[in-house]
Amino acid sequence: MKTFLLAALTMLFSMSCNGNNSGETSKAETAAAPETAAAKGKALIIYFSHAGENYSVGNIEVGNTKIVADYISEITGADQFEIVCEKDYDMPYDKLIEVAKKEANDGELPAYKGKVENLGDYDTVFIGGPIWWGTYPQVMFTFFRDNDLSGKTIFPFTTHEGSGLGSTVKDLKKAYPKADIKEGFSMYGHDVRKGRDRVEKWLKRIGF
C-alpha cells in the first residue's frame, strides 16, 4: 500500500494536466518569433535547480535545470542568476514531494539568497526551473514578488518528467502582466545531459 501511495504521489509531482505533455516541444520551437530575441539587448538567465535525489535520474551532483541554463549561457553568452533557497531541500525524493506539495498548497514563499545586480540592464530574461506540482517551485515565486521584470521579453523553460511547461507560462503572465511572455521550452530531466542540440535548436528558433 505504501509503495502504491508513493508511486501515485510521484506521478502527481511530475505530471500536470495544465502542461505541455509532449515533454520536448513548444510553440516557440514550431513558430518563428516575429522579432529576433537577439536584437533585444543583454540577456539574463534566472533559474532554480535541484541537485541530490531526483526522479528518474537518481542522485545527481548538478541539477537538471542548471545543465539547461549552462547550455543557454554557452550558446548565447547570457549571464546567470541562480535562485538558491535558504531552506534545505537535500532530502529523499519522497520527502521532497511532500514538502513541495505543502508549500504549493499553503502558498508559501520561501526566502532565497542574494539578488540580481543591475537588473535594469537586461532586456531578455530566460526563466527556468523544474516542475513541482504543476509549476515552478515556490521559491521562484518569492523572486517574482521581489523583482520587477515589466517591459522585458521573458522565455520560460522547464525540466520535468512528464508535465512539460506545466502552468509556468500562465503563472508568469500573472506575475508580470507588463512583460512580453513568450511560449517556452521544456525538456525531460533524464534527457538534459545529452540534450544540448535541442536547446540550441530552440534558441535558433527564437533568434539567438
Side-chain angles (χ1 to χ4, degrees), residues 98-177:
E98 291 301 317
V99 170
K101 178 182 179 182
K102 186 175 188 306
E103 286 183 356
N105 288 342
D106 294 348
E108 183 177 342
L109 295 174
Y112 61 92
K113 302 175 183 179
K115 66 177 182 178
V116 178
E117 299 293 340
N118 304 315
L119 184 58
D121 293 348
Y122 298 96
D123 301 294
T124 299
V125 182
F126 296 91
I127 297 181
I131 296 293
W132 287 9
W133 289 97
T135 189
Y136 289 130
Q138 286 298 119
V139 68
M140 296 185 67
F141 289 90
T142 313
F143 181 93
F144 302 157
R145 179 198 65 189
D146 295 344
N147 295 271
D148 185 8
L149 300 181
S150 297
K152 300 185 187 300
T153 299
I154 297 176
F155 292 96
F157 67 96
T158 67
T159 56
H160 65 98
E161 289 301 333
S163 55
L165 287 165
S167 65
T168 57
V169 174
K170 179 184 72 175
D171 292 338
L172 282 172
K173 287 179 177 179
K174 182 177 180 181
Y176 298 120

Side-chain angles (χ1 to χ4, degrees), residues 42 62 120 199:
K42 290 184 66 176
V62 180
V199 176

Side-chain angles (χ1 to χ4, degrees), residues 28 31-43 76 123-126 152-155 180 182 202-208:
E35 180 181 356
T36 61
K40 294 183 180 296
K42 290 184 66 176
T76 69
D123 301 294
T124 299
V125 182
F126 296 91
K152 300 185 187 300
T153 299
I154 297 176
F155 292 96
D180 184 11
K182 303 294 189 182
W202 169 60
L203 292 170
K204 286 181 177 177
R205 295 295 300 175
I206 63 175
F208 284 90

Side-chain angles (χ1 to χ4, degrees), residues 7 10 16 19 31 47 50 57 64 70 77 82 86 103 106 113 140 143 147 150 161 172-173 181 190 192 194 207:
T10 298
S16 168
Y47 72 96
H50 179 251
V57 295
N64 299 326
D70 287 345
E82 180 176 5
E86 290 188 358
E103 286 183 356
D106 294 348
K113 302 175 183 179
M140 296 185 67
F143 181 93
N147 295 271
S150 297
E161 289 301 333
L172 282 172
K173 287 179 177 179
I181 312 296
H190 63 260
V192 299
K194 297 181 179 179

